[in-house]
């Protein structure tokens, strides 16, 4: 394994004063991990250095053709002061899946986990301790060589930045209002929907803005071909409790294989609940709603863990789920997963990786 060079900052930043008012994605810790790649040389010069802007050639491939990928995970402070990562191997395996789709060279999963542990350990004082706070970890890769000829890059940078973050919904686990998108599409089979790449999110922004303007917090995407089958929410997978079964769209190639989704499915199966991963159409969902069988709906993702859906709007139809209240299964899953992440309960083998 390559040795990681460390240069500590001489000017540590002030940490947020009030851990109960942390926002997401705007405050960053003192250090970052950086490693470069050159065709013929491979990945080289892994280093942890003070957090700072990056210099890029104005013709860098990533700026023009979006050859970028990223991941999102968290470090959690347990009651005894220990710092936990949650299934980081899954994040780095998924980064390699995204990288493969975007013609970006493969990274070594074990090395990436070591780099993450080392970075978080150096910035351990940035991991907050207030309830439901964590250190958000953002690994990302981008093509850096100047080339406007739409070729895949020949040089890349892999970086990891981190920053303290509060609960996704500071007011607690309140059900959200979701708008089912029927005009724009996000992804199609064979496209990049299964990869975590910037372009997917850029392509979603217009729809997100229009939904916000109508008072909805997020968009639920339908498939890009028939505009009929349910896919996922902007940054979450989606699950429904229909009758006594938990149903979630299968991994079709156009949605992200969420690590929270995978973990929830594993927990549900271990509890002996009925679970199915399959195609589910918006008509089937409306029918279940009309018959009173749609008991709960919730999003799953690293940011919010579980995000109960209180209202689902499709065209002119507004479906209020479980009277707009959080459902029993949603609450149970939120409690089970967060207890594992914050070290209050023992999870399955390998889910928690200790930083220190
Ligand atoms: C498009 C999309 N779907 C689903 C998810 C949920 O994935 P995970 O549970 O790994 O955070 C995310 C968040 O990363 C996302 O961006």
């Amino acid at each position: 394994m390559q040795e990681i060079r460390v240069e500590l900052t001489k000017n540590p930043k002030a940490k947020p004063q009030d851990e109960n008012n942390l926002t997401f994605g705007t405050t960053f810790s003192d250090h970052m991990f950086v490693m470069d790649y050159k065709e013929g040389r491979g990945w080289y010069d892994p280093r942890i250095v003070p957090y700072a802007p990056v210099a890029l050639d104005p013709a860098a491939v990533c700026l023009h053709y979006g050859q970028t990928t990223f991941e999102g995970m968290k470090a959690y402070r347990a009651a005894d002061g220990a710092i936990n990562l949650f299934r980081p191997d899954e994040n780095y395996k998924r980064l390699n899946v995204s990288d493969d789709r975007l013609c970006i060279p493969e990274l070594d999963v074990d090395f990436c986990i070591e780099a993450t542990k080392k970075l978080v350990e150096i910035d351990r004082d940035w991991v907050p301790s207030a309830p439901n706070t964590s250190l958000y970890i953002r690994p990302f890769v981008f093509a850096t060589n100047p080339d406007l000829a739409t070729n895949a890059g020949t040089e890349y940078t892999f970086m990891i930045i981190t920053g303290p973050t509060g609960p996704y919904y500071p007011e607690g686990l309140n059900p959200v209002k979701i708008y089912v998108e029927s005009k724009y599409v996000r992804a199609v089979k064979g496209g990049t929907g299964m990869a975590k790449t910037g372009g997917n999110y850029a392509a979603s922004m217009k729809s997100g803005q229009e939904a916000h303007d109508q008072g909805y917090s997020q968009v639920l995407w339908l498939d890009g071909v028939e505009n009929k089958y349910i896919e996922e929410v902007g940054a979450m997978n989606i699950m429904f409790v229909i009758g006594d079964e938990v149903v979630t769209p299968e991994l079709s190639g156009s949605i992200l294989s969420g690590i929270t989704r995978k973990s929830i499915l594993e927990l549900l199966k271990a509890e002996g609940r009925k679970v199915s991963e399959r195609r589910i159409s918006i008509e089937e969902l409306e029918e279940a709603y009309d018959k009173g069988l749609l008991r709960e709906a919730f999003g799953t993702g690293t940011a919010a863990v579980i995000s109960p859906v209180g209202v689902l709007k499709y065209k002119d139809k507004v479906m209020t789920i479980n009277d707009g209240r959080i459902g029993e299964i949603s609450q149970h899953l939120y409690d089970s997963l967060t207890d594992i992440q914050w070290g209050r309960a023992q999870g399955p083998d390998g889910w928690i990786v200790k930083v220190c």
Side-chain angles (χ1 to χ4, degrees), residues 70-72 91 94 136 186 193 195-196 200-201 232-237 255-262 300-303:
F70 69 97
E71 268 304 323
N91 287 93
R94 188 171 67 186
Y136 183 74
R186 174 186 178 271
K196 240 172 134 52
N200 290 343
Y201 298 81
E232 62 181 332
V233 184
M236 293 189 289
N237 295 108
I255 67 171
L256 195 75
S257 175
I259 293 153
T260 319
R261 175 189 181 280
K262 178 175 180 165
T300 68
T302 299

PDB file of all heavy atoms in Angstrom, residues 70-72 91 94 136 186 193 195-196 200-201 232-237 255-262 300-303, ligand 1:
ATOM      1  N   PHE A  70     -18.476  10.970  -7.711  1.00  0.00           N
ATOM      2  CA  PHE A  70     -18.337  11.274  -6.282  1.00  0.00           C
ATOM      3  C   PHE A  70     -19.031  10.234  -5.433  1.00  0.00           C
ATOM      4  O   PHE A  70     -19.768   9.390  -5.934  1.00  0.00           O
ATOM      5  CB  PHE A  70     -18.837  12.689  -5.963  1.00  0.00           C
ATOM      6  CG  PHE A  70     -20.330  12.885  -6.096  1.00  0.00           C
ATOM      7  CD1 PHE A  70     -21.146  12.805  -4.978  1.00  0.00           C
ATOM      8  CD2 PHE A  70     -20.916  13.155  -7.312  1.00  0.00           C
ATOM      9  CE1 PHE A  70     -22.520  13.005  -5.077  1.00  0.00           C
ATOM     10  CE2 PHE A  70     -22.288  13.349  -7.428  1.00  0.00           C
ATOM     11  CZ  PHE A  70     -23.097  13.269  -6.300  1.00  0.00           C
ATOM     12  N   GLU A  71     -18.797  10.335  -4.140  1.00  0.00           N
ATOM     13  CA  GLU A  71     -19.460   9.487  -3.148  1.00  0.00           C
ATOM     14  C   GLU A  71     -19.887  10.363  -1.975  1.00  0.00           C
ATOM     15  O   GLU A  71     -19.462  11.515  -1.863  1.00  0.00           O
ATOM     16  CB  GLU A  71     -18.503   8.377  -2.648  1.00  0.00           C
ATOM     17  CG  GLU A  71     -18.622   7.097  -3.433  1.00  0.00           C
ATOM     18  CD  GLU A  71     -20.052   6.552  -3.456  1.00  0.00           C
ATOM     19  OE1 GLU A  71     -20.757   6.659  -2.448  1.00  0.00           O
ATOM     20  OE2 GLU A  71     -20.458   6.024  -4.508  1.00  0.00           O
ATOM     21  N   GLY A  72     -20.702   9.807  -1.118  1.00  0.00           N
ATOM     22  CA  GLY A  72     -21.120  10.518   0.085  1.00  0.00           C
ATOM     23  C   GLY A  72     -21.285   9.535   1.219  1.00  0.00           C
ATOM     24  O   GLY A  72     -21.996   8.546   1.079  1.00  0.00           O
ATOM     25  N   ASN A  91     -19.217   2.161  -0.332  1.00  0.00           N
ATOM     26  CA  ASN A  91     -19.079   3.441  -1.046  1.00  0.00           C
ATOM     27  C   ASN A  91     -17.962   3.386  -2.073  1.00  0.00           C
ATOM     28  O   ASN A  91     -18.110   3.874  -3.202  1.00  0.00           O
ATOM     29  CB  ASN A  91     -18.800   4.589  -0.069  1.00  0.00           C
ATOM     30  CG  ASN A  91     -20.023   4.959   0.737  1.00  0.00           C
ATOM     31  OD1 ASN A  91     -20.233   4.461   1.840  1.00  0.00           O
ATOM     32  ND2 ASN A  91     -20.869   5.792   0.176  1.00  0.00           N
ATOM     33  N   ARG A  94     -18.829   1.243  -5.003  1.00  0.00           N
ATOM     34  CA  ARG A  94     -19.746   1.975  -5.886  1.00  0.00           C
ATOM     35  C   ARG A  94     -19.009   3.072  -6.651  1.00  0.00           C
ATOM     36  O   ARG A  94     -19.322   3.345  -7.812  1.00  0.00           O
ATOM     37  CB  ARG A  94     -20.900   2.558  -5.071  1.00  0.00           C
ATOM     38  CG  ARG A  94     -21.986   3.173  -5.944  1.00  0.00           C
ATOM     39  CD  ARG A  94     -23.210   3.550  -5.139  1.00  0.00           C
ATOM     40  NE  ARG A  94     -22.947   4.629  -4.212  1.00  0.00           N
ATOM     41  CZ  ARG A  94     -23.813   5.079  -3.313  1.00  0.00           C
ATOM     42  NH1 ARG A  94     -25.006   4.519  -3.198  1.00  0.00           N
ATOM     43  NH2 ARG A  94     -23.496   6.070  -2.504  1.00  0.00           N
ATOM     44  N   TYR A 136     -19.642  14.666   7.488  1.00  0.00           N
ATOM     45  CA  TYR A 136     -19.933  14.221   6.125  1.00  0.00           C
ATOM     46  C   TYR A 136     -18.611  14.047   5.380  1.00  0.00           C
ATOM     47  O   TYR A 136     -17.699  14.869   5.506  1.00  0.00           O
ATOM     48  CB  TYR A 136     -20.821  15.245   5.405  1.00  0.00           C
ATOM     49  CG  TYR A 136     -21.215  14.789   4.024  1.00  0.00           C
ATOM     50  CD1 TYR A 136     -22.157  13.783   3.858  1.00  0.00           C
ATOM     51  CD2 TYR A 136     -20.625  15.333   2.889  1.00  0.00           C
ATOM     52  CE1 TYR A 136     -22.499  13.326   2.587  1.00  0.00           C
ATOM     53  CE2 TYR A 136     -20.968  14.885   1.617  1.00  0.00           C
ATOM     54  CZ  TYR A 136     -21.910  13.887   1.474  1.00  0.00           C
ATOM     55  OH  TYR A 136     -22.250  13.433   0.228  1.00  0.00           O
ATOM     56  N   ARG A 186     -34.825  11.775 -15.806  1.00  0.00           N
ATOM     57  CA  ARG A 186     -33.491  11.878 -15.217  1.00  0.00           C
ATOM     58  C   ARG A 186     -32.508  10.907 -15.840  1.00  0.00           C
ATOM     59  O   ARG A 186     -31.352  11.236 -16.061  1.00  0.00           O
ATOM     60  CB  ARG A 186     -33.591  11.610 -13.704  1.00  0.00           C
ATOM     61  CG  ARG A 186     -32.246  11.555 -12.999  1.00  0.00           C
ATOM     62  CD  ARG A 186     -32.432  11.137 -11.553  1.00  0.00           C
ATOM     63  NE  ARG A 186     -31.151  11.026 -10.883  1.00  0.00           N
ATOM     64  CZ  ARG A 186     -30.424   9.920 -10.858  1.00  0.00           C
ATOM     65  NH1 ARG A 186     -30.843   8.836 -11.488  1.00  0.00           N
ATOM     66  NH2 ARG A 186     -29.275   9.886 -10.211  1.00  0.00           N
ATOM     67  N   GLY A 193     -27.587   6.731 -14.938  1.00  0.00           N
ATOM     68  CA  GLY A 193     -28.385   6.810 -13.708  1.00  0.00           C
ATOM     69  C   GLY A 193     -27.832   5.981 -12.561  1.00  0.00           C
ATOM     70  O   GLY A 193     -28.021   6.315 -11.397  1.00  0.00           O
ATOM     71  N   ALA A 195     -24.741   5.598 -11.911  1.00  0.00           N
ATOM     72  CA  ALA A 195     -23.446   6.142 -11.485  1.00  0.00           C
ATOM     73  C   ALA A 195     -23.684   7.425 -10.682  1.00  0.00           C
ATOM     74  O   ALA A 195     -24.677   8.116 -10.890  1.00  0.00           O
ATOM     75  CB  ALA A 195     -22.590   6.449 -12.713  1.00  0.00           C
ATOM     76  N   LYS A 196     -22.757   7.708  -9.783  1.00  0.00           N
ATOM     77  CA  LYS A 196     -22.856   8.968  -9.050  1.00  0.00           C
ATOM     78  C   LYS A 196     -21.947   9.958  -9.769  1.00  0.00           C
ATOM     79  O   LYS A 196     -20.750  10.024  -9.521  1.00  0.00           O
ATOM     80  CB  LYS A 196     -22.401   8.757  -7.597  1.00  0.00           C
ATOM     81  CG  LYS A 196     -23.506   9.072  -6.601  1.00  0.00           C
ATOM     82  CD  LYS A 196     -23.137   8.698  -5.215  1.00  0.00           C
ATOM     83  CE  LYS A 196     -23.468   9.796  -4.224  1.00  0.00           C
ATOM     84  NZ  LYS A 196     -24.818  10.323  -4.250  1.00  0.00           N
ATOM     85  N   ASN A 200     -25.878  13.889 -13.680  1.00  0.00           N
ATOM     86  CA  ASN A 200     -27.211  13.430 -13.275  1.00  0.00           C
ATOM     87  C   ASN A 200     -27.905  14.484 -12.411  1.00  0.00           C
ATOM     88  O   ASN A 200     -29.115  14.688 -12.504  1.00  0.00           O
ATOM     89  CB  ASN A 200     -27.115  12.150 -12.431  1.00  0.00           C
ATOM     90  CG  ASN A 200     -26.688  10.946 -13.243  1.00  0.00           C
ATOM     91  OD1 ASN A 200     -26.760  10.952 -14.459  1.00  0.00           O
ATOM     92  ND2 ASN A 200     -26.214   9.922 -12.558  1.00  0.00           N
ATOM     93  N   TYR A 201     -27.101  15.096 -11.557  1.00  0.00           N
ATOM     94  CA  TYR A 201     -27.674  16.047 -10.595  1.00  0.00           C
ATOM     95  C   TYR A 201     -27.950  17.381 -11.291  1.00  0.00           C
ATOM     96  O   TYR A 201     -28.972  18.026 -11.025  1.00  0.00           O
ATOM     97  CB  TYR A 201     -26.734  16.190  -9.387  1.00  0.00           C
ATOM     98  CG  TYR A 201     -26.595  14.849  -8.687  1.00  0.00           C
ATOM     99  CD1 TYR A 201     -25.715  13.875  -9.162  1.00  0.00           C
ATOM    100  CD2 TYR A 201     -27.411  14.513  -7.625  1.00  0.00           C
ATOM    101  CE1 TYR A 201     -25.633  12.617  -8.583  1.00  0.00           C
ATOM    102  CE2 TYR A 201     -27.337  13.258  -7.030  1.00  0.00           C
ATOM    103  CZ  TYR A 201     -26.448  12.318  -7.515  1.00  0.00           C
ATOM    104  OH  TYR A 201     -26.382  11.077  -6.939  1.00  0.00           O
ATOM    105  N   GLU A 232     -36.553   6.651  -8.472  1.00  0.00           N
ATOM    106  CA  GLU A 232     -35.999   7.073  -7.181  1.00  0.00           C
ATOM    107  C   GLU A 232     -36.240   8.558  -6.988  1.00  0.00           C
ATOM    108  O   GLU A 232     -36.670   9.259  -7.903  1.00  0.00           O
ATOM    109  CB  GLU A 232     -34.502   6.763  -7.099  1.00  0.00           C
ATOM    110  CG  GLU A 232     -33.682   7.501  -8.129  1.00  0.00           C
ATOM    111  CD  GLU A 232     -32.191   7.182  -8.090  1.00  0.00           C
ATOM    112  OE1 GLU A 232     -31.687   6.840  -7.021  1.00  0.00           O
ATOM    113  OE2 GLU A 232     -31.553   7.287  -9.148  1.00  0.00           O
ATOM    114  N   VAL A 233     -35.941   9.039  -5.778  1.00  0.00           N
ATOM    115  CA  VAL A 233     -36.068  10.469  -5.471  1.00  0.00           C
ATOM    116  C   VAL A 233     -34.722  11.114  -5.806  1.00  0.00           C
ATOM    117  O   VAL A 233     -33.737  10.409  -6.037  1.00  0.00           O
ATOM    118  CB  VAL A 233     -36.470  10.645  -3.989  1.00  0.00           C
ATOM    119  CG1 VAL A 233     -36.711  12.099  -3.643  1.00  0.00           C
ATOM    120  CG2 VAL A 233     -37.729   9.847  -3.688  1.00  0.00           C
ATOM    121  N   GLY A 234     -34.656  12.459  -5.797  1.00  0.00           N
ATOM    122  CA  GLY A 234     -33.437  13.181  -6.189  1.00  0.00           C
ATOM    123  C   GLY A 234     -32.160  12.603  -5.607  1.00  0.00           C
ATOM    124  O   GLY A 234     -31.204  12.340  -6.333  1.00  0.00           O
ATOM    125  N   ALA A 235     -32.101  12.417  -4.312  1.00  0.00           N
ATOM    126  CA  ALA A 235     -30.887  11.872  -3.699  1.00  0.00           C
ATOM    127  C   ALA A 235     -31.232  10.760  -2.718  1.00  0.00           C
ATOM    128  O   ALA A 235     -30.580  10.589  -1.684  1.00  0.00           O
ATOM    129  CB  ALA A 235     -30.110  12.985  -3.010  1.00  0.00           C
ATOM    130  N   MET A 236     -32.292  10.022  -3.044  1.00  0.00           N
ATOM    131  CA  MET A 236     -32.711   8.915  -2.170  1.00  0.00           C
ATOM    132  C   MET A 236     -33.354   7.823  -3.016  1.00  0.00           C
ATOM    133  O   MET A 236     -33.966   8.110  -4.039  1.00  0.00           O
ATOM    134  CB  MET A 236     -33.785   9.385  -1.179  1.00  0.00           C
ATOM    135  CG  MET A 236     -33.311  10.373  -0.150  1.00  0.00           C
ATOM    136  SD  MET A 236     -34.578  10.660   1.111  1.00  0.00           S
ATOM    137  CE  MET A 236     -35.791  11.583   0.236  1.00  0.00           C
ATOM    138  N   ASN A 237     -33.266   6.605  -2.538  1.00  0.00           N
ATOM    139  CA  ASN A 237     -34.093   5.525  -3.090  1.00  0.00           C
ATOM    140  C   ASN A 237     -35.457   5.608  -2.407  1.00  0.00           C
ATOM    141  O   ASN A 237     -35.609   6.302  -1.412  1.00  0.00           O
ATOM    142  CB  ASN A 237     -33.425   4.174  -2.854  1.00  0.00           C
ATOM    143  CG  ASN A 237     -32.110   4.053  -3.617  1.00  0.00           C
ATOM    144  OD1 ASN A 237     -31.030   4.088  -3.048  1.00  0.00           O
ATOM    145  ND2 ASN A 237     -32.207   3.924  -4.937  1.00  0.00           N
ATOM    146  N   ILE A 255     -31.145   3.552 -11.781  1.00  0.00           N
ATOM    147  CA  ILE A 255     -31.164   4.184 -10.452  1.00  0.00           C
ATOM    148  C   ILE A 255     -29.894   3.820  -9.686  1.00  0.00           C
ATOM    149  O   ILE A 255     -29.208   2.851 -10.011  1.00  0.00           O
ATOM    150  CB  ILE A 255     -32.407   3.781  -9.613  1.00  0.00           C
ATOM    151  CG1 ILE A 255     -32.395   2.297  -9.226  1.00  0.00           C
ATOM    152  CG2 ILE A 255     -33.696   4.149 -10.332  1.00  0.00           C
ATOM    153  CD1 ILE A 255     -33.487   1.921  -8.234  1.00  0.00           C
ATOM    154  N   LEU A 256     -29.624   4.627  -8.662  1.00  0.00           N
ATOM    155  CA  LEU A 256     -28.419   4.384  -7.877  1.00  0.00           C
ATOM    156  C   LEU A 256     -28.646   3.221  -6.906  1.00  0.00           C
ATOM    157  O   LEU A 256     -29.710   3.111  -6.305  1.00  0.00           O
ATOM    158  CB  LEU A 256     -28.058   5.645  -7.089  1.00  0.00           C
ATOM    159  CG  LEU A 256     -26.644   5.637  -6.521  1.00  0.00           C
ATOM    160  CD1 LEU A 256     -25.620   5.888  -7.627  1.00  0.00           C
ATOM    161  CD2 LEU A 256     -26.478   6.662  -5.421  1.00  0.00           C
ATOM    162  N   SER A 257     -27.632   2.395  -6.777  1.00  0.00           N
ATOM    163  CA  SER A 257     -27.697   1.289  -5.828  1.00  0.00           C
ATOM    164  C   SER A 257     -27.333   1.842  -4.450  1.00  0.00           C
ATOM    165  O   SER A 257     -26.175   1.846  -4.041  1.00  0.00           O
ATOM    166  CB  SER A 257     -26.710   0.203  -6.275  1.00  0.00           C
ATOM    167  OG  SER A 257     -26.671  -0.807  -5.319  1.00  0.00           O
ATOM    168  N   GLY A 258     -28.341   2.354  -3.746  1.00  0.00           N
ATOM    169  CA  GLY A 258     -28.099   3.046  -2.472  1.00  0.00           C
ATOM    170  C   GLY A 258     -27.612   2.085  -1.400  1.00  0.00           C
ATOM    171  O   GLY A 258     -28.074   0.942  -1.296  1.00  0.00           O
ATOM    172  N   ILE A 259     -26.700   2.568  -0.584  1.00  0.00           N
ATOM    173  CA  ILE A 259     -26.163   1.739   0.498  1.00  0.00           C
ATOM    174  C   ILE A 259     -27.166   1.691   1.653  1.00  0.00           C
ATOM    175  O   ILE A 259     -27.297   0.665   2.327  1.00  0.00           O
ATOM    176  CB  ILE A 259     -24.771   2.266   0.908  1.00  0.00           C
ATOM    177  CG1 ILE A 259     -23.822   2.024  -0.279  1.00  0.00           C
ATOM    178  CG2 ILE A 259     -24.251   1.588   2.166  1.00  0.00           C
ATOM    179  CD1 ILE A 259     -22.676   2.954  -0.382  1.00  0.00           C
ATOM    180  N   THR A 260     -27.917   2.762   1.828  1.00  0.00           N
ATOM    181  CA  THR A 260     -28.983   2.734   2.841  1.00  0.00           C
ATOM    182  C   THR A 260     -30.067   1.764   2.378  1.00  0.00           C
ATOM    183  O   THR A 260     -30.576   0.960   3.166  1.00  0.00           O
ATOM    184  CB  THR A 260     -29.575   4.143   3.039  1.00  0.00           C
ATOM    185  OG1 THR A 260     -28.520   5.094   3.025  1.00  0.00           O
ATOM    186  CG2 THR A 260     -30.347   4.245   4.333  1.00  0.00           C
ATOM    187  N   ARG A 261     -30.415   1.816   1.085  1.00  0.00           N
ATOM    188  CA  ARG A 261     -31.407   0.883   0.511  1.00  0.00           C
ATOM    189  C   ARG A 261     -31.000  -0.555   0.792  1.00  0.00           C
ATOM    190  O   ARG A 261     -31.772  -1.354   1.311  1.00  0.00           O
ATOM    191  CB  ARG A 261     -31.494   1.140  -1.007  1.00  0.00           C
ATOM    192  CG  ARG A 261     -32.383   0.172  -1.783  1.00  0.00           C
ATOM    193  CD  ARG A 261     -32.200   0.412  -3.292  1.00  0.00           C
ATOM    194  NE  ARG A 261     -33.039  -0.453  -4.091  1.00  0.00           N
ATOM    195  CZ  ARG A 261     -32.756  -1.730  -4.381  1.00  0.00           C
ATOM    196  NH1 ARG A 261     -31.626  -2.290  -3.933  1.00  0.00           N
ATOM    197  NH2 ARG A 261     -33.579  -2.442  -5.117  1.00  0.00           N
ATOM    198  N   LYS A 262     -29.742  -0.869   0.450  1.00  0.00           N
ATOM    199  CA  LYS A 262     -29.228  -2.231   0.639  1.00  0.00           C
ATOM    200  C   LYS A 262     -29.293  -2.642   2.121  1.00  0.00           C
ATOM    201  O   LYS A 262     -29.712  -3.752   2.451  1.00  0.00           O
ATOM    202  CB  LYS A 262     -27.781  -2.265   0.128  1.00  0.00           C
ATOM    203  CG  LYS A 262     -27.085  -3.584   0.288  1.00  0.00           C
ATOM    204  CD  LYS A 262     -25.701  -3.553  -0.347  1.00  0.00           C
ATOM    205  CE  LYS A 262     -25.043  -4.909  -0.156  1.00  0.00           C
ATOM    206  NZ  LYS A 262     -23.893  -5.102  -1.005  1.00  0.00           N
ATOM    207  N   THR A 300     -34.782   6.496   1.272  1.00  0.00           N
ATOM    208  CA  THR A 300     -33.622   6.010   2.022  1.00  0.00           C
ATOM    209  C   THR A 300     -32.351   6.610   1.424  1.00  0.00           C
ATOM    210  O   THR A 300     -32.179   6.613   0.209  1.00  0.00           O
ATOM    211  CB  THR A 300     -33.511   4.470   1.963  1.00  0.00           C
ATOM    212  OG1 THR A 300     -33.192   4.075   0.621  1.00  0.00           O
ATOM    213  CG2 THR A 300     -34.786   3.776   2.390  1.00  0.00           C
ATOM    214  N   GLY A 301     -31.497   7.147   2.278  1.00  0.00           N
ATOM    215  CA  GLY A 301     -30.235   7.713   1.779  1.00  0.00           C
ATOM    216  C   GLY A 301     -29.342   8.116   2.938  1.00  0.00           C
ATOM    217  O   GLY A 301     -29.817   8.263   4.078  1.00  0.00           O
ATOM    218  N   THR A 302     -28.065   8.291   2.652  1.00  0.00           N
ATOM    219  CA  THR A 302     -27.093   8.629   3.696  1.00  0.00           C
ATOM    220  C   THR A 302     -27.465   9.920   4.414  1.00  0.00           C
ATOM    221  O   THR A 302     -27.301  10.039   5.627  1.00  0.00           O
ATOM    222  CB  THR A 302     -25.694   8.769   3.053  1.00  0.00           C
ATOM    223  OG1 THR A 302     -25.361   7.508   2.474  1.00  0.00           O
ATOM    224  CG2 THR A 302     -24.633   9.173   4.052  1.00  0.00           C
ATOM    225  N   ALA A 303     -27.977  10.902   3.671  1.00  0.00           N
ATOM    226  CA  ALA A 303     -28.229  12.224   4.252  1.00  0.00           C
ATOM    227  C   ALA A 303     -29.278  12.159   5.355  1.00  0.00           C
ATOM    228  O   ALA A 303     -29.037  12.595   6.478  1.00  0.00           O
ATOM    229  CB  ALA A 303     -28.658  13.192   3.159  1.00  0.00           C
TER     230      ALA A 303
HETATM  231  C1  LIG B   1     -29.603   9.612  -6.881  1.00  0.00           C
HETATM  232  C2  LIG B   1     -29.436   8.995  -5.541  1.00  0.00           C
HETATM  233  N1  LIG B   1     -30.158   7.908  -5.239  1.00  0.00           N
HETATM  234  C3  LIG B   1     -30.036   7.289  -4.039  1.00  0.00           C
HETATM  235  C4  LIG B   1     -29.164   7.766  -3.080  1.00  0.00           C
HETATM  236  C5  LIG B   1     -29.027   7.044  -1.773  1.00  0.00           C
HETATM  237  O1  LIG B   1     -27.797   6.366  -1.710  1.00  0.00           O
HETATM  238  P1  LIG B   1     -27.084   6.056  -0.317  1.00  0.00           P
HETATM  239  O2  LIG B   1     -28.073   5.295   0.487  1.00  0.00           O
HETATM  240  O3  LIG B   1     -25.903   5.245  -0.675  1.00  0.00           O
HETATM  241  O4  LIG B   1     -26.749   7.366   0.292  1.00  0.00           O
HETATM  242  C6  LIG B   1     -28.400   8.907  -3.343  1.00  0.00           C
HETATM  243  C7  LIG B   1     -27.471   9.443  -2.350  1.00  0.00           C
HETATM  244  O5  LIG B   1     -26.326   9.200  -2.407  1.00  0.00           O
HETATM  245  C8  LIG B   1     -28.533   9.541  -4.608  1.00  0.00           C
HETATM  246  O6  LIG B   1     -27.807  10.623  -4.912  1.00  0.00           O
END
